[in-house]
Amino acid sequence: MTTIYNFSAGPAVLPKEVLQQAAAEMLDWHGSGMSVMEMSHRGAEFMSIMDAAQRDLRDLLAIPENYKILFLQGGGLGENAIVPMNLMGRRPDAPVDFIHTGSWSGKSIKEAQKYATVNVAASAASNGFTAVPARESWQLSKDAAYVHLCTNETIDGVEYHFVPDVAEQTGGAPIVADMSSHILSRVIDVSAYGVIFGGAQKNIGPAGLTLVIVREDLLGHALPVCPSAFDWKIVADNGSMYNTPPTYAIYIAGLVFQWLKRQGGVAAMEAQNIAKATLLYDYLDSTDFYENRVAKECRSRMNVPFFLKDESLNAEFLTAAKAQGLLQLKGHKSVGGMRASIYNAMPLAGVQALVGFMHEFASAHS
Amino acid sequence: MTTIYNFSAGPAVLPKEVLQQAAAEMLDWHGSGMSVMEMSHRGAEFMSIMDAAQRDLRDLLAIPENYKILFLQGGGLGENAIVPMNLMGRRPDAPVDFIHTGSWSGKSIKEAQKYATVNVAASAASNGFTAVPARESWQLSKDAAYVHLCTNETIDGVEYHFVPDVAEQTGGAPIVADMSSHILSRVIDVSAYGVIFGGAQKNIGPAGLTLVIVREDLLGHALPVCPSAFDWKIVADNGSMYNTPPTYAIYIAGLVFQWLKRQGGVAAMEAQNIAKATLLYDYLDSTDFYENRVAKECRSRMNVPFFLKDESLNAEFLTAAKAQGLLQLKGHKSVGGMRASIYNAMPLAGVQALVGFMHEFASAHS
């Protein structure tokens, strides 16, 4: 049977070991006689799963003690509303600064306008969202409530490879970072951010779980219209159990965290991710048959959009790729072309197989 | 090995066949080479799972064509805010009528006050939430925006065994029913309701999925502060894929729907549920050792709270039950005592085992 490599942008490939363990434990978790799906979230069994998941994540990202880890629901799009609902009670009249780098930050801007005055401090629209605007060009507000970044644009394939210093110009505004599609793929300094959030369905686990990492002083400032179930303070005070959490998704995320630790942690994953991305970008840059349009210093290690120069071959490319077990390579409809998402769980062998296929396909059609 | 029966109030027991199928398909769904967790929600494979789940649910509950089925996130507690956020744009100044029958309707009342003027039209507080207030006693508003019921109080064990007529007194207000803990346990006339909602973690599937069934004319009236990801109109227009849905939870729910059809559908489940509840309540009524305090005509078929007359035996009861494989019988802390939740997936044999144990325990301690 052909080895399958799944390049979906999310929900996305998960480590095979994790799926094998989940299958083995499906009917009876650790002799409890229950599936994890059947456990009361307040029972000792699930509490141990929850605690381990939080502890492992704190280890993996070296999350300081003054940050809370929250497990929520509603995904990145939900957080686009939930973030301003939680933060704007702190300084209701202050503007929120956004850096517009692609589809996801664009959606965040639109939603935040329902709850706050938005200032687009910089936009990459003029270059077709192929680069992060240079830090010097950002027109930050001197009294910003917070500065919102999407540190990896899943659709546009643009990633921040720096942490911008915004405190001085904004009077100490915290950075809110949507890290949905690259969290756990690289070492980060959590203390540089006020809030980090992300949908789980890329590097963490199944869709339906949302991660929020928030500095404690930013809790307790929700707008009165914020639903209790999404009020970070209430969620934090209840250990992410104010409402029934997505227990099975948390269990799978916990298995992924254990797997990451077995791989050597986030630093080891980052080295592997650099190797994978370098292999693919180097090939793209070596040929005239394909192209990636993102500025080199802003290219995403996770999401690699690329185009066939002759787009009339797109359908044939996708069919031939699928026949070789290379799945879900079609680009997002807003960008077109192809996209290979190469998250943590994608092995180097998968990228090698992709590059091998691309080379063959190019040779056959040149 | 002892057969395990799990009486958790939710997350709760799931059909063994469903778990077996999920385990078998975990690494490779129908030859796709992917786990369901790894599939793009917009790909053909997951779309077929989503479509089948919706179709089967529509069949099972005979949901009329002018009702939309929405798969959301955030649970019942989330909906407590999301319901008024979606409906109050229709008639912003109208009061919302609530019938207060226990813990869950109490939480709904508190949350709705953030978005609307609330009228508690009837309350069972004076009887300790052991009965649904008689319909004649309800003080409905003649211009209510909607009437909210919790048709099965999970914690208090009180269930509506009638559909109240509210239209005439309220000028046609729709009924919003929180059916979290008894949906799919009995035949219902969906057309009697404007909105039906429920967390999945009792009779539907894993925690993290929320079901909303809404009459089409009630869509499109969201308050401006309603997050887009929870705006029913946006969710409906996008086939529950405005944001990435909890795909694996929907897959499991779909397997549960197929299992329900194999059991003969909701009418057959209802007959089975009546048999299970009758067995347990008849035993409780036959002994002085235990008691259930809910009015007979309002007793829940799903959640059966009961007390040992001698509460000093509680810990011993729970330990002895666990030793016989009868799990999670401890009552909710707000009520005390015991609670047996006997959802669809609890077989008659489980209730027989429970009654047998209770009888033995009573004999040994009388």
Side-chain angles (χ1 to χ4, degrees):
Chain A
M1 191 184 145
T2 315
T3 304
I4 299 288
Y5 294 111
N6 172 9
F7 295 93
S8 172
V13 62
L14 287 165
K16 201 170 281 285
E17 287 173 41
V18 165
L19 297 172
Q20 284 165 338
Q21 186 173 348
E25 296 178 345
M26 179 64 85
L27 278 94
D28 181 11
W29 182 84
H30 295 200
S32 66
M34 293 183 281
S35 174
V36 173
M37 281 184 219
E38 301 177 301
M39 291 174 184
S40 167
H41 54 298
R42 299 192 191 282
E45 295 89 353
F46 184 73
M47 286 299 297
S48 74
I49 291 171
M50 178 69 130
D51 291 347
Q54 295 218 10
R55 202 170 48 240
D56 286 340
L57 181 62
R58 196 173 285 276
D59 284 356
L60 284 164
L61 290 175
I63 300 173
E65 282 307 313
N66 64 325
Y67 283 73
K68 294 285 189 193
I69 296 171
L70 310 181
F71 290 137
L72 288 154
Q73 301 178 51
L77 283 178
E79 284 308 310
N80 282 346
I82 294 166
V83 168
M85 278 184 159
N86 272 279
L87 294 181
M88 290 312 294
R90 197 163 148 262
R91 298 179 51 204
D93 298 323
V96 179
D97 285 352
F98 276 81
I99 311 303
H100 189 189
T101 46
S103 289
W104 282 96
S105 50
K107 290 179 199 218
S108 299
I109 288 168
K110 199 167 158 216
E111 188 77 2
Q113 286 168 336
K114 294 161 77 166
Y115 311 99
T117 305
V118 164
N119 169 47
V120 179
S123 171
S126 63
N127 62 40
F129 300 114
T130 55
V132 177
R135 171 65 189 85
E136 313 82 76
S137 70
W138 297 10
Q139 303 290 316
L140 297 169
S141 308
K142 65 177 186 301
D143 60 341
Y146 61 92
V147 179
H148 179 114
L149 318 176
C150 176
T151 48
N152 187 65
E153 290 277 3
T154 322
I155 290 174
D156 306 277
V158 171
E159 183 171 6
Y160 283 70
H161 295 289
F162 66 102
V163 182
D165 179 5
V166 306
E168 196 178 334
Q169 265 182 274
T170 60
I175 297 177
V176 173
D178 175 357
M179 295 196 182
S180 292
S181 51
H182 76 155
I183 195 160
L184 290 166
S185 74
R186 60 189 299 157
V187 175
I188 54 170
D189 174 8
V190 172
S191 73
Y193 303 90
V195 179
I196 293 169
F197 72 88
Q201 63 270 18
K202 283 88 159 76
N203 272 329
I204 297 175
L209 171 64
T210 315
L211 172 66
V212 172
I213 301 168
V214 54
R215 211 174 61 207
E216 284 172 349
D217 63 288
L218 298 174
L219 295 171
H221 304 289
L223 295 174
V225 293
C226 182
S228 302
F230 302 113
D231 181 326
W232 294 339
K233 174 83 165 80
I234 294 175
V235 175
D237 287 349
N238 287 277
S240 295
M241 297 226 188
Y242 173 72
N243 60 353
T244 310
T247 51
Y248 197 76
I250 291 170
Y251 158 71
I252 297 289
L255 296 184
V256 170
F257 299 155
Q258 290 169 23
W259 175 83
L260 284 170
K261 289 182 119 178
R262 291 198 300 275
Q263 308 311 302
V266 174
M269 287 314 307
E270 180 169 10
Q272 167 89 341
N273 287 327
I274 290 172
K276 283 150 50 184
T278 302
L279 176 62
L280 183 49
Y281 284 116
D282 280 357
Y283 173 68
L284 286 166
D285 290 341
S286 74
T287 160
D288 287 334
F289 194 83
Y290 306 99
E291 65 169 333
N292 169 281
R293 298 170 186 167
V294 177
K296 284 193 182 180
E297 68 282 10
C298 302
R299 284 172 168 178
S300 170
R301 295 176 188 156
M302 294 288 104
N303 310 97
V304 184
F306 62 91
F307 300 86
L308 280 68
K309 288 269 175 67
D310 178 359
E311 295 222 274
S312 71
L313 294 171
N314 281 357
E316 191 181 339
F317 178 89
L318 287 167
T319 304
K322 190 171 180 185
Q324 298 210 12
L326 306 170
L327 306 185
Q328 314 218 47
L329 283 164
K330 191 173 179 181
H332 190 273
K333 62 183 178 215
S334 66
V335 170
M338 308 295 154
R339 175 175 47 168
S341 293
I342 50 177
Y343 297 119
N344 282 345
M346 173 61 64
L348 181 62
V351 182
Q352 289 167 334
L354 174 62
V355 169
F357 163 75
M358 287 170 70
H359 179 70
E360 267 175 44
F361 188 86
S363 303
H365 293 83
S366 294
Chain B
M1 190 183 145
T2 315
T3 304
I4 299 289
Y5 294 111
N6 171 8
F7 295 93
S8 172
V13 61
L14 287 166
K16 202 169 280 284
E17 287 173 40
V18 165
L19 296 173
Q20 285 165 336
Q21 186 172 348
E25 295 178 345
M26 180 63 85
L27 279 95
D28 180 12
W29 182 84
H30 295 199
S32 66
M34 293 183 281
S35 174
V36 173
M37 281 184 220
E38 302 178 300
M39 291 175 182
S40 167
H41 53 298
R42 299 191 191 282
E45 294 89 352
F46 184 74
M47 287 299 297
S48 75
I49 291 171
M50 178 70 132
D51 291 348
Q54 296 220 9
R55 201 169 50 239
D56 286 340
L57 181 64
R58 195 173 284 278
D59 284 357
L60 282 164
L61 289 174
I63 300 172
E65 282 306 313
N66 63 325
Y67 284 73
K68 295 284 188 194
I69 297 171
L70 310 181
F71 290 136
L72 287 155
Q73 300 177 52
L77 283 178
E79 284 308 311
N80 282 346
I82 295 167
V83 167
M85 278 184 159
N86 272 279
L87 294 181
M88 290 312 294
R90 194 163 149 263
R91 297 178 50 206
D93 299 322
V96 179
D97 284 352
F98 276 80
I99 311 303
H100 189 188
T101 45
S103 290
W104 282 96
S105 49
K107 290 179 197 217
S108 299
I109 287 168
K110 202 170 156 213
E111 187 78 2
Q113 285 167 336
K114 295 160 77 164
Y115 311 100
T117 305
V118 164
N119 168 47
V120 178
S123 171
S126 63
N127 62 41
F129 300 114
T130 55
V132 177
R135 170 65 189 86
E136 312 82 75
S137 69
W138 298 9
Q139 303 290 316
L140 297 169
S141 307
K142 64 177 188 298
D143 60 340
Y146 61 92
V147 179
H148 179 113
L149 317 176
C150 176
T151 49
N152 187 67
E153 290 277 4
T154 322
I155 290 174
D156 306 277
V158 171
E159 183 171 5
Y160 283 71
H161 295 288
F162 66 102
V163 182
D165 180 5
V166 305
E168 196 177 332
Q169 267 182 269
T170 59
I175 296 176
V176 172
D178 175 356
M179 294 195 183
S180 292
S181 52
H182 75 155
I183 195 160
L184 289 166
S185 75
R186 59 189 300 157
V187 174
I188 55 170
D189 174 8
V190 172
S191 72
Y193 303 90
V195 178
I196 293 168
F197 73 88
Q201 63 269 22
K202 285 89 157 73
N203 272 329
I204 296 175
L209 171 65
T210 314
L211 172 67
V212 173
I213 301 168
V214 53
R215 211 173 61 207
E216 283 172 350
D217 63 290
L218 298 174
L219 296 171
H221 304 288
L223 295 174
V225 293
C226 182
S228 303
F230 302 112
D231 180 327
W232 294 339
K233 174 82 164 79
I234 293 175
V235 175
D237 288 349
N238 287 278
S240 294
M241 297 225 189
Y242 173 71
N243 59 352
T244 309
T247 51
Y248 197 75
I250 291 169
Y251 157 72
I252 296 290
L255 296 184
V256 171
F257 300 155
Q258 291 169 21
W259 175 82
L260 284 170
K261 290 182 119 179
R262 291 197 300 276
Q263 308 310 301
V266 174
M269 287 314 306
E270 180 170 11
Q272 167 89 343
N273 287 328
I274 290 172
K276 282 151 49 185
T278 302
L279 175 62
L280 183 49
Y281 284 115
D282 280 357
Y283 173 68
L284 286 165
D285 291 341
S286 75
T287 162
D288 287 333
F289 193 84
Y290 307 99
E291 66 169 333
N292 168 281
R293 299 171 184 166
V294 178
K296 285 195 181 181
E297 69 280 11
C298 303
R299 285 173 167 178
S300 170
R301 295 175 187 157
M302 295 288 103
N303 308 98
V304 185
F306 62 92
F307 300 85
L308 279 66
K309 287 268 174 72
D310 178 359
E311 295 222 275
S312 71
L313 294 171
N314 281 358
E316 190 181 341
F317 179 90
L318 287 168
T319 305
K322 191 171 180 185
Q324 298 211 12
L326 306 170
L327 306 185
Q328 314 218 45
L329 282 164
K330 191 173 179 182
H332 190 273
K333 61 182 177 214
S334 65
V335 171
M338 307 295 153
R339 175 175 47 169
S341 294
I342 51 176
Y343 298 119
N344 283 344
M346 173 60 64
L348 182 61
V351 182
Q352 288 167 335
L354 174 62
V355 169
F357 163 75
M358 289 171 69
H359 179 69
E360 267 176 45
F361 188 87
S363 303
H365 293 82
S366 294

